[in-house]
Amino acid sequence: MALFSAYGPPDQSETDNLGVDWVVHYDFEGLEFTQAIEEFRTLIHDLEEANLQTQVRHGHGSSLLVFIRVPRDHLGKMVHQSRVKDWLYGIAHELPVGDDQTVADAESPAEELRSVYHAVTWQKSLGGAGITAQHGPWKHVTAAIPLHDPAANAELLRKWSRSVLLTPDDLDAIRALYGEKVAFYFAFIHCYSTFLFFPAAWGVFSWLYLGPYSVTCAVVNCLWCIVFVEFWKIRETELSLRWNVKGVGALKVNRVQYVWDKEIKDPITGETMRVFSAHKQLLRQLLLIPFATVASLALGTLIVASFALEVFISEVYNGPFKTYLEFLPTVLFSLSLPSITNVLTRVALRLTKYENYRTQDQYDLAQTSKTFVMHFITAFLPTILTAFVYVPFGARILPYLDVFQVRGMSHSLNPSQVHIDTSRLQQEVISLSVTAQALNFGEEVVFPYVKRVLLQKWRDYREKRETSSHTRNHSRQTDRLLADLPEEASFLTRVRNEAEADEYNVHEDILEMAVQYGYLALFGISWPLVPLGFLANNWLELRGDFFKLSLECQRPAPIRADSIGPSLQGLELLTWLGCLSTAAIVYLYRDGMEQVNTTSLLLAILVAEWAYLVVRFAVHTGLQKLTVGIQRRESAKRYAVRKAYLDTFSECASPRNKNKVRFQDKVSVYSTATDVKTGSEEALHEGQNGNGQMERFWSWPQQETADAGVRLIKALGSESKPVKDAKGA
């Protein structure tokens, strides 16, 4: 709690973004002067050619920060055109009234920043500047990001630290700040955590009165898993309709990396479409099968070898240093796993690129699917081996582990004399649900925070030492650029830190929750208190993830999405496997492994699968009937809109007389409520009214931005000496 409560209200001077919409971080370390200057001039030319205003300041080391602002009229036109496109593709149902020159106010910071993102990154043929970080001619552009809103982030985090559950207004505030893609993750973890209240209470009851491996507890747990996944699918649809993003994937533009075979004209829209052969792509996607096989063999072999070595040392070996050698398998596994995972991740990235997906969403989904396979193997295989190999059949396996004939054990040990501790599975599940969750939180939130603070202190100390030991001999204009103005110093410090922060990957957080759900579905029956531990963890996890997003990572572009992606299919798979695993664990462990009949075990698994299919169908049908009002309201809304068009089409007012959306009609990212205006609320650029500091920041003439950047490149390059004067220098 101290970590969150210390995140208090920031000073006003630290929250003002000075009218900056976007920031491009250009790193010219190691480049020749001529190449760096040419690339920077091209960067500024492309941005200004796209009707964007620019300013430049120096970053850390040999780098520059290019600040971008979109003129309000141009941005308003882009917002209106985006809404018209939504209507054409059936995403939105209300036709935006106006023409190509209509200027519309954005309803949230995310909508405004999304248009800015399009203006910066879209290809020139679509009206953008074509600046794609770390790709093509912009491989030295290390980041192109929007800036955080510290005041809104601090207010949300303070509010959440005093509440147990999120409200719909909280989710709307996340959507208003970060877009639907991030909002769907927080909606999912909130829904999942809310559902955990029942299994947590039921787990306490089962632990006190039913004990582990109870048939009643198993049935209730499986039923809960099915209900949760089916409910989330409906909740996901409801949110996509509420946020007007259902089917938004049809709007996504081509990736810059996309390679097409031919261009065809759409017979309906008349637009030119770039097409890649579906046959070729299918053949490339089939490479996923050998990749999954190799990944399974590589990770599986490592896990099985570590597991066998651990069992050998703990159960078979009685030689010297046994106490210390018991830690050897864990150490070897921990050292080997990152290397193998990194290699497989690089192979997965290359494979996903080779599959040549048209949109970034399709690319992300394909990469997430491959990552899910690796997470499944590394997260669940060790516990699966414990539950279904070591404990049931350990007495038969142990004699064969004496591969080195230590003390001749394989010839003298009778399998009937070997006693396997059946509580090992429960101990492992307890460790995963309590210790591992705490360690993951520390690794994900606390350690990066401490590292960032220490790195910043070291950087400040080094810069002060270098400043005191070097005297700058540059022109007056260059000295003005190298020295931060007092009113800009705190702002520029924050921007430099954000530009070098880690990228936020929402898919990683979703996968983390999917893995946690997998532990509960697959092995929760072993220890009924697992949901209680996960519930306590998720209260911290939700706030910790927002803390990480708002303070430790770059602000992601407000990308729209209508689901949590392939993780939903992963949840369905884990639910099915969870029902089978639960049935097998109850059969094996309920009577203490006294009688294990393979035929009866397979029959129990088969009955569990049939029961899963029947219950899933019944739950799906029942929830659909209970929530049919959502679809009815959506249909009624569409009908009402079209009826209104039919009645008033001939009486449409002039588009120039259409009232603009004012901020009091927007989603508030401060109070997390709608239609309420407080003194602390501001629009993204509300500070333009008399904000002299912002005006001074943008007072440099636009035509001097490129020249100012060139002076900074020469000055910074001559001080740090990483920039070469000429070829071979």
Side-chain angles (χ1 to χ4, degrees), residues 391-461:
V391 176
F393 309 106
R396 302 177 186 177
I397 296 175
L398 281 179
Y400 297 99
L401 292 179
D402 190 14
V403 293
F404 299 108
Q405 300 296 314
V406 177
R407 299 170 56 186
M409 180 177 173
S410 60
H411 298 286
S412 60
L413 185 62
N414 188 349
S416 62
Q417 299 175 351
V418 178
H419 175 71
I420 300 297
D421 186 8
T422 57
S423 65
R424 179 186 175 96
L425 172 61
Q426 188 180 88
Q427 294 171 359
E428 190 167 321
V429 170
I430 293 174
S431 175
L432 290 171
S433 58
V434 178
T435 309
Q437 295 294 316
L439 292 176
N440 287 340
F441 180 81
E443 182 182 355
E444 185 179 355
V445 178
V446 179
F447 176 72
Y449 175 76
V450 174
K451 183 181 71 172
R452 185 183 64 83
V453 172
L454 295 178
L455 181 62
Q456 182 60 39
K457 290 184 179 297
W458 164 250
R459 178 177 287 158
D460 293 341
Y461 167 75

Side-chain angles (χ1 to χ4, degrees), residues 4 35 41 51 179 217 318 351 370 462 541 558 653-654 671:
F4 301 143
Q35 181 182 354
R41 287 190 180 277
N51 198 23
C217 183
N318 289 318
L351 184 59
K370 298 178 180 64
R462 188 178 59 184
E541 184 74 24
S654 171
S671 63

Side-chain angles (χ1 to χ4, degrees), residues 536-549:
N537 171 81
N538 287 359
W539 190 92
L540 283 174
E541 184 74 24
L542 188 148
R543 290 146 185 85
D545 285 341
F546 185 76
F547 179 87
K548 174 184 68 174
L549 166 64

Side-chain angles (χ1 to χ4, degrees), residues 399-691:
Y400 297 99
L401 292 179
D402 190 14
V403 293
F404 299 108
Q405 300 296 314
V406 177
R407 299 170 56 186
M409 180 177 173
S410 60
H411 298 286
S412 60
L413 185 62
N414 188 349
S416 62
Q417 299 175 351
V418 178
H419 175 71
I420 300 297
D421 186 8
T422 57
S423 65
R424 179 186 175 96
L425 172 61
Q426 188 180 88
Q427 294 171 359
E428 190 167 321
V429 170
I430 293 174
S431 175
L432 290 171
S433 58
V434 178
T435 309
Q437 295 294 316
L439 292 176
N440 287 340
F441 180 81
E443 182 182 355
E444 185 179 355
V445 178
V446 179
F447 176 72
Y449 175 76
V450 174
K451 183 181 71 172
R452 185 183 64 83
V453 172
L454 295 178
L455 181 62
Q456 182 60 39
K457 290 184 179 297
W458 164 250
R459 178 177 287 158
D460 293 341
Y461 167 75
R462 188 178 59 184
E463 289 182 353
K464 288 181 181 179
R465 188 178 62 179
E466 291 178 353
T467 302
S468 61
S469 60
H470 292 84
T471 58
R472 288 170 170 165
N473 298 316
H474 305 295
S475 66
R476 182 176 301 176
Q477 287 183 322
T478 303
D479 287 336
R480 178 186 172 186
L481 291 170
L482 290 172
D484 297 340
L485 297 177
E487 61 267 24
E488 297 179 4
S490 60
F491 166 71
L492 292 176
T493 299
R494 175 165 62 88
V495 174
R496 290 175 186 128
N497 292 335
E498 289 186 24
E500 296 186 353
D502 296 330
E503 293 185 15
Y504 177 71
N505 188 342
V506 69
H507 293 294
E508 291 182 356
D509 285 340
I510 296 175
L511 279 176
E512 182 182 351
M513 285 295 102
V515 169
Q516 185 195 94
Y517 171 81
Y519 280 123
L520 176 56
L522 292 169
F523 314 111
I525 189 61
S526 303
W527 192 49
L529 297 182
V530 166
L532 183 62
F534 286 169
L535 178 62
N537 171 81
N538 287 359
W539 190 92
L540 283 174
E541 184 74 24
L542 188 148
R543 290 146 185 85
D545 285 341
F546 185 76
F547 179 87
K548 174 184 68 174
L549 166 64
S550 60
L551 197 62
E552 298 176 357
C553 295
Q554 297 172 352
R555 183 175 185 174
I559 304 298
R560 291 191 291 182
D562 59 1
S563 70
I564 59 173
S567 295
L568 179 57
Q569 287 72 39
L571 294 177
E572 292 180 310
L573 174 64
L574 290 172
T575 303
W576 172 66
L577 291 176
C579 291
L580 306 185
S581 172
T582 300
I585 289 176
V586 170
Y587 175 83
L588 291 171
Y589 290 80
R590 180 167 175 77
D591 296 326
M593 297 287 178
E594 293 182 0
Q595 293 181 349
V596 177
N597 185 284
T598 306
T599 304
S600 300
L601 175 61
L602 295 177
L603 181 60
I605 294 175
L606 182 62
V607 171
E609 182 177 23
W610 289 347
Y612 163 78
L613 295 175
V614 172
V615 173
R616 179 175 177 269
F617 175 78
V619 170
H620 177 78
T621 304
L623 289 178
Q624 287 288 351
K625 290 184 179 296
L626 291 175
T627 58
V628 70
I630 300 173
Q631 286 78 11
R632 287 181 177 176
R633 286 195 300 270
E634 183 66 16
S635 299
K637 181 179 178 181
R638 295 186 181 187
Y639 176 81
V641 169
R642 283 159 176 76
K643 183 70 164 56
Y645 290 154
L646 182 63
D647 294 340
T648 62
F649 182 80
S650 60
E651 301 176 2
C652 284
S654 171
R656 302 186 185 277
N657 297 329
K658 182 176 182 289
N659 293 329
K660 292 183 175 181
V661 178
R662 300 262 55 94
F663 185 74
Q664 55 264 30
D665 302 322
K666 301 178 183 180
V667 175
S668 171
V669 296
Y670 296 92
S671 63
T672 67
T674 55
D675 302 328
V676 178
K677 184 177 181 180
T678 65
S680 63
E681 293 177 349
E682 295 180 352
L684 192 60
H685 293 285
E686 195 74 15
Q688 289 181 346
N689 297 329
N691 190 337

